[in-house]
């Protein structure tokens, strides 16, 4: 754990392990995440949902809606990388998305249900992928980095745990 409230589990790092066992463990984390996230949100009052997880940070409500937005973009990035040769993905302004009116107006349950369904589809795709599929990549135009799907799998397993800890800290 980290003392930095922005990164309560530490910043993302990837050890480069692309073994079948490492992949299986990361896929299992992605599969289990929606239930763990739902459990962390269950029973929170509106006041708790509207509490920022840190000074200057998003509210829990914003985090609940951000996670499926982010993971939906990840799912699309996987599909692009699997169907195109090293595509340049479309980034999005996650901070501005968190401020859009649907975030305040939509009950958290809607995004939790969306996360459940999205992860079922994503895990089905991940389990069908070959080692060559995981070696495919895309270009992120903001960082100007090429990312493999192995690295992206690790990033989004970390991303779920990262935001789960934000919610738990509230």
């Amino acid at each position: 754990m980290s003392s930095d409230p922005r990164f309560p589990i530490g910043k993302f790092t990837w050890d480069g392990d692309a073994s079948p066992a490492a992949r299986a463990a990361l896929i299992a984390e992605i599969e289990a995440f929606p239930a763990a996230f739902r459990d962390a949100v269950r029973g929170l009052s509106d006041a708790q949902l509207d509490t920022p997880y840190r000074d200057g940070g998003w509210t829990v409500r914003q985090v609940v809606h951000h996670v499926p937005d982010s993971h939906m973009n990840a799912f699309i990035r996987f599909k692009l990388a699997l169907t195109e040769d090293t595509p340049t993905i479309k980034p999005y302004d996650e901070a501005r998305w968190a401020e859009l009116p649907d975030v305040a107006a939509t009950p958290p349950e809607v995004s939790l249900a969306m996360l459940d369904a999205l992860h079922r589809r994503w895990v089905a795709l991940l389990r069908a992928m070959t080692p060559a599929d995981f070696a495919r990549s895309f270009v992120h135009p903001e960082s100007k980095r090429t990312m493999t799907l192995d690295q992206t799998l690790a990033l989004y397993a970390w991303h779920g745990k990262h935001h789960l800890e934000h919610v738990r800290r509230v």
Side-chain angles (χ1 to χ4, degrees):
M1 292 294 175
S2 166
S3 60
D4 184 341
R6 294 172 303 161
F7 301 100
I9 64 167
K11 290 185 178 181
F12 171 70
T13 59
W14 184 52
D15 62 8
D17 186 355
S19 68
R23 277 189 205 115
L26 292 168
I27 292 167
E29 288 179 24
I30 286 175
E31 182 176 38
F33 173 71
F37 198 58
R38 181 180 289 281
D39 286 346
V41 172
R42 182 176 289 118
L44 294 181
S45 67
D46 281 338
Q48 289 169 309
L49 288 168
D50 293 327
T51 299
Y53 67 84
R54 67 174 174 86
D55 287 340
W58 288 341
T59 66
V60 171
R61 186 181 309 276
Q62 287 173 305
V63 171
V64 168
H65 295 300
H66 159 73
V67 171
D69 287 347
S70 175
H71 291 199
M72 190 172 14
N73 274 281
F75 180 64
I76 291 166
R77 291 169 183 180
F78 268 79
K79 288 190 161 240
L80 287 169
L82 289 167
T83 59
E84 300 176 21
D85 291 329
T86 319
T88 298
I89 57 94
K90 172 82 171 85
Y92 70 103
D93 187 336
E94 62 185 35
R96 290 192 61 200
W97 281 36
E99 296 294 330
L100 289 172
D102 65 306
V103 171
T106 305
E109 177 55 38
V110 172
S111 283
L112 293 171
M114 191 163 90
L115 190 67
D116 289 336
L118 173 63
H119 275 239
R120 287 183 68 186
R121 284 277 309 277
W122 195 8
V123 168
L125 177 66
L126 293 169
R127 288 206 170 117
M129 289 172 60
T130 66
D133 291 335
F134 280 102
R136 294 183 66 88
S137 60
F138 61 81
V139 175
H140 196 296
E142 290 177 339
S143 66
K144 301 193 182 352
R145 289 179 45 213
T146 299
M147 294 184 63
T148 67
L149 295 183
D150 267 317
Q151 184 178 14
T152 306
L153 174 65
L155 173 64
Y156 281 92
W158 170 87
H159 185 259
K161 293 183 289 192
H162 166 73
H163 284 303
L164 179 60
E165 188 59 28
H166 284 149
V167 171
R168 286 179 173 160
R169 288 188 175 202
V170 170

